[in-house]
Amino acid sequence: MNTLFDKIWDAHVVQHVNDGPDQLYIDRLYAHEVTSPQAFDGLRRRGLQCFRPGQIFCMPDHNTPTHDQDKPIEDPVSKKQVDTLAKNARDFGLTHYGMMDHNNGIIHVVGPEQGLSLPGMTIVCGDSHTSTHGAMGAVSFGIGTSEVEMVLASQCILQAKPKSMRITVNGQLGYGVTAKDLALYIMSQITTSGATGYFVEYAGEAVRSLTMEGRLTLCNLSIEMGARGGFIAPDEKTFEYIKGRPYAPKGEAWEKAVAYWKTLKSGDDAVFDKEVTFDAANIEPMITYGTNPGMGIGISATIPQPASASDEKALAYMQFAAGEKMTGKKVDYVFLGACTNGRIEDFRAFVSIAKGRHKAPEVTAWLVPGSWKVLDQIKAEGLDKILEEAGFEIRQPGCSACLAMNDDKIPAGKLSVSTSNRNFEGRQGPGARTCLASPLMAAAAAVTGVITDPRDLL
């Protein structure tokens, strides 16, 4: 019996190249300002138009400032990239949600919230964290610039079919343990290369019990395990989330879509190329101590002895030592946001700890919603007022401090507790030190000024 991955992939194969890749039909292409300019230039050189413009959605996110978005972007490189995307969308007749447009935000937050990312789809974007949309029950993955050009021109891509892997997490997640902790735990166990060459299906009681927002976080981090992508079979929770969203099917089309989506699951006798199983009871709130997302430990554990020269280098960069605990370490910056944790549920989690407390004076905190819709919801629920009283300010949507491509950079040597997805050297700014964590852990650090077990404050 085929896996769900096989079902979706095989249904999109236009033709199979003998001893070569598959020509795969793509349902949705998302284009942002960083990886698309050369692809559009390629079309111009060849005198081509976009084959299916209605399937392509463009929005800037990486370079957008998170304040004063109604004013021209000051950084010339960022401004040029954002302006170029707008021009390309105009020239090729594509849907474009620019800065200050109410549909704008981080593309991996906007896709699901608009109902653009749907079960059974193939979805690509020139960005590795496209795996996020797998939470909708889609086969979704990042592609390179030349492949973006391929999709623009033909709505197809040449792609070798990855192997399939199932990661099952049995039991229920404990108190104060989130989807982010689950993902960081899996990476700490299988390493950042443990899923290389595979497309991962997440299964088990702990995964099923996650909200859609939690599932989006888990799938977002699949790429950090080396996977080509990760996804979760759609269920009633998925359908409930999608229903009524702007681009979701309506009326009779909705009934038909749901009937099809209900068939999207791996058979009981499906055979995966690799199976891994974990017990949710073993997972506590996690934090990273090194310079890749797999270098993480439970908050009550101590930093392990380095197993290699690269581990030693990572500890030296982070200014940490084996045998130390992470709790009590002084924090300079806290970042809540990114396509990993910039959704309404993440802000609610942050507020659950910040409410009635106050931001530590020595901490700079950047709270950045993943989209304007998230910002609307924050205001509708009064979370902005609670955060304001606690000394926090909410910024405008964008990728922000996830990566050093806009104004929100962590200064050299400073320690940041970040809800983003990567803690590589210099990822948040040259010389910046990054500890990846959940919104609960970030909030605990923001109000205490040191790395703190969030369970102590819940």
Side-chain angles (χ1 to χ4, degrees), residues 163-288:
K163 291 181 289 189
S164 62
M165 176 177 184
R166 181 162 58 188
I167 295 179
T168 304
V169 188
N170 295 316
Q172 287 291 347
L173 295 174
Y175 183 62
V177 179
T178 69
K180 181 64 163 285
D181 301 305
L182 171 55
L184 290 174
Y185 176 80
I186 293 171
M187 280 185 272
S188 74
Q189 300 300 303
I190 70 171
T191 76
T192 49
S193 59
T196 302
Y198 294 94
F199 221 95
V200 174
E201 179 176 345
Y202 297 101
E205 189 189 351
V207 172
R208 285 266 157 247
S209 67
L210 294 175
T211 60
M212 285 308 295
E213 308 211 324
R215 294 177 188 190
L216 287 158
T217 296
L218 177 60
C219 291
N220 174 273
L221 287 153
S222 306
I223 203 74
E224 309 306 338
M225 309 168 195
R228 197 69 188 87
F231 71 106
I232 296 165
D235 56 14
E236 291 301 330
K237 228 179 242 188
T238 321
F239 313 148
E240 193 54 42
Y241 177 89
I242 296 166
K243 195 173 189 176
R245 293 187 182 268
Y247 286 91
K250 308 280 187 290
E252 207 178 303
W254 170 258
E255 302 303 331
K256 205 174 157 189
V258 172
Y260 165 60
W261 296 342
K262 283 180 174 173
T263 69
L264 296 176
K265 48 179 179 278
S266 293
D268 295 338
D269 52 355
V271 178
F272 291 81
D273 295 301
K274 188 174 182 181
E275 293 252 22
V276 186
T277 304
F278 297 107
D279 183 348
N282 297 328
I283 308 171
E284 63 172 343
M286 298 284 294
I287 190 154
T288 63

Side-chain angles (χ1 to χ4, degrees), residues 10 21 32 70 85 98 106 140 160 186 210-211 216 225 257 274 313 327 338 345 360 363 388-389 439 444 446:
D10 296 349
H32 56 58
D70 53 334
L85 179 66
I106 304 172
S140 187
I186 293 171
L210 294 175
T211 60
L216 287 158
M225 309 168 195
K274 188 174 182 181
K313 182 172 176 274
T327 46
E345 191 178 276
V363 171
E388 225 168 89
E389 280 166 26

Side-chain angles (χ1 to χ4, degrees), residues 34 62-64 75 78 81 400 403-407 409 427:
V34 181
H62 285 57
N63 289 275
T64 55
D75 179 68
S78 291
Q81 288 198 315
S400 185
L403 77 175
M405 288 184 82
N406 52 69
D407 299 341
K409 296 179 180 70
R427 168 80 176 181

Side-chain angles (χ1 to χ4, degrees), residues 30-37 58-62 85 107 125-127:
Y30 296 126
H32 56 58
E33 75 277 26
V34 181
T35 52
S36 66
C58 309
M59 72 190 70
D61 53 14
H62 285 57
L85 179 66
I107 216 157
C125 173
D127 178 328

Side-chain angles (χ1 to χ4, degrees), residues 85-152:
L85 179 66
K87 182 183 186 309
N88 284 330
R90 267 195 317 274
D91 290 356
F92 289 92
L94 305 176
T95 303
H96 174 258
Y97 296 137
M99 276 197 324
M100 296 302 292
D101 185 304
H102 215 74
N103 294 311
N104 177 259
I106 304 172
I107 216 157
H108 305 316
V109 173
V110 173
E113 79 178 3
Q114 289 282 354
L116 284 164
S117 304
L118 298 172
M121 276 187 165
T122 48
I123 301 171
V124 295
C125 173
D127 178 328
S128 57
H129 294 108
T130 309
S131 58
T132 309
H133 308 268
M136 311 310 296
V139 166
S140 187
F141 54 94
I143 56 175
T145 300
S146 61
E147 294 168 311
V148 172
E149 185 180 338
M150 224 183 266
V151 180
L152 291 172

